Amino acid sequence: MVILSVRSIALTCALGALGAALAACGGPAAPQAARRGHHAPATSAAPSRPPTLAPGPAGTTPVFTNGPRTRGRTVALTFDADMTADQGARAAAGEHFDNPELIATLRALRVPATVFMTGRWADEYPREARDIGQDPLFEIANHSYSHYAFTGDCYGLPTVPGNRMRADVERAYTAFRKAGVRDAMPYFRFPGGCHDRRSLRTLSAAGVTAVQWDVVSGDAFATDADAVARQVLDGVRPGSVVVMHCTRSAAPATERAVRRIVPELRRKGFRFVKVSELIGAAVGRP
């Protein structure tokens, strides 16, 4: 299940040889390797902890929607790599829940991005998960293991029992480590974006910041890439978080839309960043 359009229903690294400054792992800029699969070497310095928001009221999980509006024209493209726990048979039958062409396009355009990945997706595509996770152009964040809902009545998704919510989040991190993703971010996106006071209380002990968005791309099940691009371009403001998808079967127009969105936003003076950079700006970390 993927998120539907609101219009339809609601540390330190050197600059790389290409000269593009990319935010990596919540710290200063880091270069992407020149070719896919060739990654920047690890540094000896211990990385700083990625920025997170302070707990919400009564110690609940904090929720982040967008970055500062007055600190430059930045925008974060985020991509949900959705696969629910019960979709293994569909994958075995040939349905594609990954989108390597989209990842290749983001690399070719040198667009930093945050991928909210389910643990089940990482189990299905471990080499792709590791490849994305090792590329400093990207960061991987948590989208639950099962992609079941954390509230009732969430786009028809099955529901995670309250006493299993934290375990579902932690199981996703375990799946990432098993796939070879060493530094998944302490950010969590609720399946369908659905959350309530109970789920925010329940996940508080997990130490994550919940990440929502302020721009819905409308790419879920869309076939008109131009319509998706227009919706994004019309909605983006400084500090925006755009929600898109990294699933070929459920979001087949996304890669084509990205090829239109990126140059147009750059023409307007926007700089693409990862979610960690927006959160860092919100809490006063460079």
Side-chain angles (χ1 to χ4, degrees), residues 3-10 155 213-218 231 243:
I3 303 162
L4 302 180
S5 167
V6 291
R7 298 189 178 182
S8 60
I9 53 175
Y155 302 111
W213 54 83
D214 66 323
V215 179
V216 175
S217 68
Q231 183 151 310
V243 59

Side-chain angles (χ1 to χ4, degrees), residues 4 14 44 59 62 86 90 93 109 130 133 138 141 173 207 217 259 282 285:
L4 302 180
S44 58
D86 58 359
R90 288 166 57 178
L109 296 174
R130 182 173 61 252
F138 305 121
Y173 282 120
S217 68
R259 284 192 271 118
R285 281 180 54 178

Side-chain angles (χ1 to χ4, degrees), residues 74-80 102 106 109-116 137-139 189 211-213 215 217 232-233 236 239-245 254 257-263 265-266 270-276 278:
T74 55
V75 58
L77 298 185
T78 69
F79 297 89
D80 292 358
L102 170 63
L106 292 170
L109 296 174
R110 297 196 60 78
V111 178
T114 302
V115 178
F116 286 88
L137 191 64
F138 305 121
E139 61 188 12
R189 175 164 285 166
V211 176
Q212 297 287 95
W213 54 83
V215 179
S217 68
V232 172
L233 294 171
V236 164
S240 280
V241 176
V242 181
V243 59
M244 306 184 82
H245 295 86
T254 304
V258 164
R259 284 192 271 118
R260 178 179 169 189
I261 290 165
V262 169
L265 285 178
R266 282 179 170 156
F270 280 91
R271 180 172 64 90
F272 293 96
V273 299
K274 298 179 239 183
V275 165
S276 56
L278 289 186

Side-chain angles (χ1 to χ4, degrees), residues 11-193:
L11 93 153
T12 302
C13 303
L15 287 177
L18 296 178
L22 305 174
C25 298
Q32 181 199 7
R35 299 191 308 276
R36 181 176 180 177
H38 291 250
H39 307 294
T43 62
S44 58
S48 60
R49 189 178 188 279
T52 55
L53 299 185
T60 55
T61 299
V63 179
F64 180 78
T65 301
N66 58 268
R69 301 296 192 190
T70 58
R71 297 187 185 178
R73 298 173 73 81
T74 55
V75 58
L77 298 185
T78 69
F79 297 89
D80 292 358
D82 292 346
M83 185 174 179
T84 61
D86 58 359
Q87 289 178 327
R90 288 166 57 178
E95 184 169 348
H96 296 287
F97 296 91
D98 62 340
N99 195 337
E101 186 177 2
L102 170 63
I103 298 300
T105 293
L106 292 170
R107 284 174 165 143
L109 296 174
R110 297 196 60 78
V111 178
T114 302
V115 178
F116 286 88
M117 186 180 292
T118 68
R120 182 63 186 87
W121 195 100
D123 281 349
E124 189 70 27
Y125 305 106
R127 286 184 293 180
E128 290 182 54
R130 182 173 61 252
D131 184 55
I132 295 168
Q134 290 180 349
D135 190 335
L137 191 64
F138 305 121
E139 61 188 12
I140 290 179
N142 196 313
H143 197 30
S144 80
Y145 180 83
S146 65
H147 201 257
Y148 290 173
F150 283 58
T151 68
D153 191 23
C154 181
Y155 302 111
L157 289 170
T159 304
V160 178
N163 63 354
R164 296 296 303 163
M165 290 179 181
R166 180 180 174 186
D168 196 71
V169 173
E170 292 174 345
R171 186 181 179 190
Y173 282 120
T174 299
F176 300 157
R177 289 191 293 270
K178 181 180 178 182
V181 177
R182 296 186 299 270
D183 299 310
M185 306 300 282
Y187 308 142
F188 175 69
R189 175 164 285 166
F190 286 97

